[in-house]
């Protein structure tokens, strides 16, 4: 069956962020960088990030805790390596 020739609207910053969060946790800085790289307007990005935080889909403290626990338990990394990884992610 042929596809429709109508252009599909590009996803909003909020939709794109939700898709990324469905795959794995992200820090606010990681998501901001990713959305800006996808050419979303800075105001749209900030609004999406605020909404995600308000809805509790995005939480830097929770992200840091889960990231650290995972790296230390499953990859055997030490505290310094975990801190380095967290700094890289914002």
């Amino acid at each position: 069956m042929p596809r429709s020739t109508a252009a599909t609207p590009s996803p909003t910053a909020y939709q794109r962020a939700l898709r990324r969060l469905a795959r794995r946790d992200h820090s606010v800085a990681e998501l901001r960088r990713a959305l800006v790289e996808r050419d979303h307007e800075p105001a749209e990005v900030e609004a999406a990030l605020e909404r995600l935080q308000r809805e509790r889909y995005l939480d830097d403290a929770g992200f840091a805790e889960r990231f650290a626990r995972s790296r230390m338990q499953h990859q055997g990394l030490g505290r310094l390596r975990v801190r380095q990884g967290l700094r890289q992610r914002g």
Side-chain angles (χ1 to χ4, degrees):
M1 180 168 228
R3 290 188 176 196
S4 171
T5 57
T8 55
S10 59
T12 65
Y14 178 78
Q15 292 168 332
R16 190 164 269 142
L18 271 180
R19 277 194 230 133
R20 291 181 72 91
L21 288 168
R23 288 191 294 270
R24 75 166 179 87
D25 270 344
H26 290 273
S27 69
V28 172
E30 278 183 303
L31 271 181
R32 181 178 289 116
R33 248 189 324 266
L35 295 172
V36 168
E37 286 174 5
R38 298 293 299 219
D39 295 327
H40 289 285
E41 293 296 322
E44 180 190 11
V45 170
E46 292 307 315
L49 294 175
E50 287 173 16
R51 181 178 173 189
L52 290 165
Q53 288 173 322
R54 195 172 51 250
E55 295 172 344
R56 298 179 189 220
Y57 289 120
L58 189 58
D59 171 29
D60 270 352
F63 167 76
E65 184 179 320
R66 289 184 295 277
F67 178 87
R69 187 180 317 116
S70 171
R71 294 305 189 271
M72 291 175 87
Q73 287 178 353
H74 301 293
Q75 295 181 5
L77 298 180
R79 289 186 325 223
L80 294 177
R81 290 290 301 272
V82 169
R83 280 189 198 145
Q84 179 184 18
L86 283 170
R87 267 191 236 107
Q88 289 173 344
R89 285 166 174 74

